[in-house]
Amino acid sequence: MRIDKFLSNLKYGSRKEIKQLLRAHEVKINLKRVIDPATSIDPNKELVFIDGEQVFYKESIDIMIYKPVGYLSANHDSMHSVITSLIQAPYDRFDFSIAGRLDLDAEGLLILTTDGNFAHHIMHPKKHIEKTYEVMLDKPFVHHQALLNGIFVKDGYNDEYFAKAIAIKKNKEYVTIIIDEGKFHQVKRMFQAVGYEVLRLKRTRIGNLELKDLKPGEYKEFERKDLE
Ligand code: URA
């Protein structure tokens, strides 16, 4: 890859601005100063420094984040705060895909990754990755058997599908439910189908990744082997 493309991908400026940066600042690949924007670099093997400071780079970055209520699972929005606005240096120079959205009024574990294929892989319906949700309903829950047997609900395209809970634990209106799909508003619609409204919804687990001690807005990198 060319050094100007590398730095421009990391949001150091347009190709034209990188050309100026290379002249005005000391940009080094390992120990060697570079001026020519066409100089090639292997970012997986070589280090880049700008005025002595190392440029942070990783081929792919996988992050688990605690989405707070009121944040949109998106990269840009004109009305609401978006989840990626919580990402700070050095990760904020990267573009993240969101694997499995949470509703605006929902909170909990969300996966962000710079690798679009990985995001796709996590969300693929055939993968059946388990997710745990803790919900608060509008009244004490007694219809657990119906959700364990399965019920028909509508997806985001208004097509009916058969949704089934893998496990349910309940304590009055507080319910923990495990499902292995991720259709549009799935948890809310499953409870709605048996006559309940979800007042609060928190995702606490995706595969083997658990929210655990992350606080709202906090995030950390994870290893792919810890997901499945
Ligand atoms: N199911 C929902 O209804 N909402 C979410 O945000 C996630 C799962």
Side-chain angles (χ1 to χ4, degrees):
M1 186 191 303
R2 289 168 54 125
I3 185 75
D4 58 352
K5 181 161 194 319
F6 172 73
L7 291 175
S8 159
N9 283 353
L10 289 174
K11 305 186 174 44
Y12 282 93
S14 64
R15 294 280 189 104
K16 199 171 151 205
E17 286 161 348
I18 303 294
K19 200 171 167 187
Q20 289 156 1
L21 178 102
L22 290 169
R23 281 206 220 106
H25 293 263
E26 185 196 64
V27 178
K28 284 185 172 176
I29 298 178
N30 294 332
L31 297 172
K32 204 161 156 249
R33 170 134 197 222
V34 285
I35 310 263
D36 180 0
T39 310
S40 72
I41 177 205
D42 180 348
N44 293 315
K45 294 201 181 119
E46 296 171 303
L47 301 178
V48 179
F49 299 85
I50 301 177
D51 297 328
E53 204 169 306
Q54 190 179 332
V55 171
F56 176 81
Y57 176 79
K58 272 185 154 188
E59 192 170 13
S60 67
I61 300 169
D62 305 321
I63 279 179
M64 49 194 285
I65 184 165
Y66 186 147
K67 182 189 106 59
V69 168
Y71 278 76
L72 208 63
S73 300
N75 290 295
H76 310 280
D77 192 72
S78 50
M79 272 186 42
H80 300 103
S81 304
V82 294
I83 191 70
T84 48
S85 68
L86 294 168
I87 302 297
Q88 292 166 16
Y91 303 111
D92 56 348
R93 292 188 176 276
F94 295 79
D95 293 320
F96 287 95
S97 299
I98 300 162
R101 286 152 204 276
L102 280 172
D103 296 336
L104 184 65
D105 62 356
E107 62 187 308
L109 185 57
L110 195 62
I111 291 177
L112 307 178
T113 173
T114 56
D115 179 352
N117 288 332
F118 181 51
H120 195 72
H121 166 86
I122 299 171
M123 286 185 290
H124 199 284
K126 286 213 177 107
K127 285 301 294 178
H128 293 293
I129 295 180
E130 284 190 4
K131 291 139 201 127
T132 302
Y133 295 89
E134 291 177 3
V135 300
M136 187 180 96
L137 303 174
D138 58 339
K139 52 184 178 278
F141 186 60
V142 290
H143 288 78
H144 50 284
Q145 202 51 53
L147 294 193
L148 288 168
N149 293 343
I151 30 109
F152 283 95
V153 286
K154 287 195 171 152
D155 66 13
Y157 306 99
N158 245 9
D159 291 332
E160 279 208 323
Y161 69 99
F162 189 67
K164 205 167 175 309
I166 291 169
I168 293 183
K169 268 202 318 214
K170 64 188 176 69
N171 178 11
K172 297 185 190 140
E173 64 270 44
Y174 297 93
V175 183
T176 302
I177 180 169
I178 300 175
I179 56 172
D180 67 357
E181 298 159 313
K183 296 260 171 58
F184 186 63
H185 295 327
Q186 179 161 347
V187 174
K188 287 178 185 166
R189 288 185 176 184
M190 286 174 75
F191 282 103
Q192 239 166 32
V194 287
Y196 298 81
E197 199 190 334
V198 172
L199 302 180
R200 289 219 305 254
L201 186 150
K202 179 172 167 184
R203 182 158 62 204
T204 56
R205 179 175 71 95
I206 302 174
N208 294 325
L209 294 181
E210 290 190 62
L211 196 56
K212 272 195 193 141
D213 39 30
L214 282 181
K215 308 250 176 347
E218 285 183 352
Y219 55 86
K220 62 181 180 191
E221 279 193 68
F222 68 90
E223 305 270 338
R224 289 186 189 184
K225 66 172 171 50
D226 296 333
L227 172 66
E228 291 177 79

